[in-house]
Amino acid sequence: QVQLVESGGGLVQPGGSLRLSCAPSGRIFIAYDMSWYRQAPGKQRELAASITSGGSTNYADSLKGRFTISRDNAKNTVYLQMNGLKPEDTAVYYCNAILREYTFSRPDDYWGQGTQVTVSS
């Protein structure tokens, strides 16, 4: 049914910025917690940042102060503003969200296909 779609990835120089966006491909009833994960080549997927429906945020320690997660509940969209990017930030970034598709549906865990972020000089 519904899938999460990420956008905004690309190639950027060290110290540069990118903003990632993620939203369901279709209409949903409600989005609960939304998160960004990332996975570098040969490494385990890790949580980068998360945000509740009420706007409470949580960040990986290494990213706090550089990355900002936010959401637009009217659009069911979550963003990740990435500043001061470093080569070690290079990874595929995945959107994750707990969604209820319909009023009669149970909330479930959804994943996007990922968007590539490459930080290189």
Side-chain angles (χ1 to χ4, degrees):
Q1 300 281 13
V2 168
Q3 62 182 29
L4 294 174
V5 181
E6 303 106 333
S7 63
L11 176 65
V12 65
Q13 291 183 314
S17 299
L18 286 173
R19 190 179 77 155
L20 307 183
S21 300
C22 170
S25 61
R27 292 184 179 274
I28 62 167
F29 177 62
I30 191 170
Y32 299 98
D33 292 0
M34 306 184 83
S35 304
W36 288 97
Y37 288 75
R38 67 181 188 177
Q39 187 168 24
K43 297 191 68 176
Q44 193 172 16
R45 189 173 299 187
E46 64 175 351
L47 177 65
S50 63
I51 185 168
T52 69
S53 59
S56 297
T57 59
N58 186 45
Y59 299 92
D61 287 342
S62 63
L63 306 181
K64 199 169 188 177
R66 296 193 297 123
F67 288 18
T68 303
I69 189 170
S70 61
R71 64 191 291 163
D72 183 341
N73 289 331
K75 298 179 179 179
N76 293 313
T77 301
V78 63
Y79 306 94
L80 186 66
Q81 179 66 48
M82 305 184 294
N83 299 325
L85 284 164
K86 304 174 181 179
E88 48 264 46
D89 294 320
T90 296
V92 177
Y93 285 71
Y94 296 92
C95 181
N96 178 76
I98 307 298
L99 304 178
R100 187 191 290 272
E101 291 190 37
Y102 308 100
T103 59
F104 50 84
S105 301
R106 294 181 179 180
D108 205 356
D109 194 39
Y110 291 76
W111 289 90
Q113 292 299 114
T115 185
Q116 177 70 48
V117 172
T118 302
V119 185
S120 177
S121 59

